[in-house]
Amino acid sequence: MSSKSTVRVRVAPSPTGDPHVGTAYIGLFNMVFARRNGGQFILRIEDTDQKRSNPESEQAISDYLRWVGIEWDEGPDKGGPKGPYRQSERTAIYTEHATKLLDSGAAYRCFCTPERLTEMRAEQRKAGGNIGYDRRCRDLDPGEAETRMQNGESFTVRMKMPVDGETVFEDALRGTICYPNQQIDDQVLLKSDGFPTYHLANVVDDHLMEITHVFRAEEWIPSTPKHLALYEAFGWEPPVFVHLSLLRNPDRSKISKRKNPVSLEWYREAGFLPQALLNFLALMGWSMQDERECFSCDELVSEFDLNRLKVTEPVFDLQKLEWLNSQWMRLLSPEELATEIRGFMTEERLTKILPLIHERLHRLDGFTELTNYFFAMDVGFPVDDLKIKRWPTKETDGDDPKAPLRALNKALKAILEEIETLPKLEAEDLEQRLRDFCERTGWKTKELFMATRLVATGRAASPPLFETMEILGKARIQYRFRQAIETLRGAIKK
Ligand code: GLU
């Protein structure tokens, strides 16, 4: 245990994409540990990657963490004594700390240009040795470095890592971990644009925010020696590290959107109860002494013990989640169930859907038939209903009956990739993107739009495609594209 008295923990997502199940999983254990120990749980937004961070992503992360039942004591939207809690608002703090390291000699200015570094790596690759910074600027004369800086040469600040020996640390879950220092690069701390890297900002903030325990995913283990070197250089006491096992796809690879839905939005849109999803995430890292599988967050808090966390690789098994969800659904009274369903088929969603189907609705009882694909997650992809007559083709495609399927598969993959970069789907923007895509690739809009309709709705007839896609939302659209790609793959192989 750390000698600091009050437990303070944090979850520190980077707002660069959809709200990820992994963030909820890590957030959960941090929150539970704080509650168990009467401590504080902090949400810190690590938005130092200026190009990829965006406010929509930050908002979605907060909203979905709250939806699943994770609530913090301090954070960007709540404030608190150790704010600001958004790293982009703390840049002066990082510069000041980088300067301290330069002054003490623990860090140095590196004037190597990106071109030189690329060249260096290419040579290292050719030679078959270690890839890493060759430390050319590490021993530059301080006077010379000063002059080059005064002359306006661009530079980064790098950490002077020990070149031999090893870094040994205790992980509260995994025991002793050893790293030969030779394998650790002279990490960049401050980029040439003056923004800190993850390593510097993370360590400075954990210290200034008085974090006592860092529960984070296993993938950060290789960063820990770099962090420890920083704690040492600053003369600070490091927190206790707890690296939780990474969530896995069923094939045991690190969980990824290609193989498993990862956005919390998907789980809400697929109709999982937040308490069931939270319970499921708890089971990924924890089992109750009596092995019961259905338990609430409060029950977890009252039984939680850091020493009983699991180290095994947790597989994200959707069937198991579905089973657990059904258990939670059974616990609801009919009134509670009705409330959940109203929360799922919200007035807001109905108000958006109704104008689209209004004219096709001849009797009220036709409503469910006309709208089920707006609510259901799985609609299937009716590959046999595809009637692609023209597609961007090569002369030789002529005899290949699978050529249109191949062409569509390629198109869907490219469109999906584009969709994945969007914070949310908007009809006009989608239409423009698909039109541009057709222009670029030679698809006839009529053909591609028809196929897209089948993918998005599972039907050949639907209200205006792009408005429909906007309401269906990113999680459903991504999922249906992925399923269609899978189905096409199967059909091509047959
Ligand atoms: N920003 C890092 C992430 O996105 C935080 C890792 C850590 O907890 O140190 O997960």
Side-chain angles (χ1 to χ4, degrees), residues 117-349:
L117 295 174
T118 313
E119 229 168 79
M120 176 201 75
R121 274 184 226 113
E123 269 164 36
Q124 288 172 337
R125 227 167 273 131
K126 232 196 272 162
N130 273 356
I131 308 275
Y133 180 54
D134 61 5
R135 304 190 158 124
R136 179 186 274 191
C137 295
R138 181 165 163 137
D139 296 314
L140 269 189
D141 172 63
E144 183 188 338
E146 191 65 34
T147 318
R148 288 173 74 171
M149 187 184 69
Q150 300 297 347
N151 290 343
E153 233 181 282
S154 158
F155 65 89
T156 59
V157 174
R158 283 188 189 267
M159 181 73 187
K160 231 181 231 180
M161 287 298 298
V163 284
D164 45 27
E166 50 184 21
T167 300
V168 181
F169 63 95
E170 286 304 308
D171 179 293
L173 183 56
R174 290 159 198 276
T176 309
I177 298 181
C178 271
Y179 260 88
N181 288 334
Q182 264 177 337
Q183 284 177 14
I184 312 168
D185 214 359
D186 276 3
Q187 185 63 52
V188 173
L189 301 176
L190 220 50
K191 297 178 263 188
S192 56
D193 61 4
F195 259 61
T197 56
Y198 153 72
H199 304 283
L200 177 67
N202 187 273
V203 165
V204 167
D205 285 352
D206 280 348
H207 174 74
L208 296 179
M209 293 179 184
E210 295 178 10
I211 299 302
T212 56
H213 296 72
V214 168
F215 289 74
R216 64 181 170 198
E218 184 187 356
E219 62 189 322
W220 299 103
I221 293 177
S223 296
T224 309
K226 299 175 184 173
H227 297 180
L228 289 167
L230 280 166
Y231 282 103
E232 167 125 21
F234 284 120
W236 295 337
E237 184 191 351
V240 174
F241 288 103
V242 192
H243 289 97
L244 296 166
S245 300
L246 271 184
L247 302 179
R248 308 268 164 178
N249 294 312
D251 67 4
R252 308 228 156 224
S253 52
K254 174 185 167 184
I255 199 168
S256 63
K257 59 187 171 198
R258 306 262 163 272
K259 301 190 178 157
N260 205 86
V262 292
S263 168
L264 289 169
E265 185 189 352
W266 187 87
Y267 291 89
R268 192 185 70 178
E269 293 298 304
F272 289 101
L273 297 175
Q275 56 274 43
L277 180 56
L278 206 61
N279 183 171
F280 178 73
L281 291 173
L283 288 176
M284 298 283 97
W286 173 261
S287 48
M288 284 291 191
Q289 209 111 41
D290 63 4
E291 299 193 352
R292 72 185 187 282
E293 294 197 295
C294 198
F295 51 84
S296 68
C297 191
D298 287 344
E299 287 170 78
L300 176 57
V301 169
S302 63
E303 296 197 27
F304 189 76
D305 173 359
L306 173 51
N307 300 313
R308 289 201 34 249
L309 276 168
K310 293 196 281 198
V311 232
T312 45
E313 295 176 351
V315 171
F316 207 94
D317 175 353
L318 279 178
Q319 274 174 346
K320 176 81 181 270
L321 170 58
E322 188 135 349
W323 169 81
L324 203 57
N325 200 59
S326 70
Q327 301 298 304
W328 277 95
M329 299 272 276
R330 272 177 222 170
L331 294 175
L332 300 176
S333 67
E335 292 74 20
E336 284 166 337
L337 185 55
T339 308
E340 291 295 341
I341 290 175
R342 266 185 234 111
F344 186 67
M345 303 178 81
T346 54
E347 192 68 31
E348 189 193 342
R349 190 173 295 187

Side-chain angles (χ1 to χ4, degrees), residues 37-53:
N37 291 286
Q40 287 105 35
F41 168 51
I42 293 154
L43 171 67
R44 182 171 76 223
I45 297 294
E46 299 209 328
D47 56 351
T48 53
D49 184 338
Q50 276 183 294
K51 275 194 220 102
R52 294 177 57 229
S53 298

Side-chain angles (χ1 to χ4, degrees), residues 54-97:
N54 61 79
E56 290 90 353
S57 169
E58 179 187 323
Q59 187 63 48
I61 291 172
S62 309
D63 291 349
Y64 278 98
L65 284 180
R66 287 209 163 99
W67 167 74
V68 79
I70 292 175
E71 186 61 62
W72 42 98
D73 305 302
E74 297 166 30
D77 57 343
K78 281 197 148 164
K82 305 286 175 192
Y85 296 93
R86 206 177 273 120
Q87 289 187 329
S88 57
E89 295 165 20
R90 301 171 63 82
T91 41
I93 301 176
Y94 310 127
T95 321
E96 179 197 320
H97 282 84

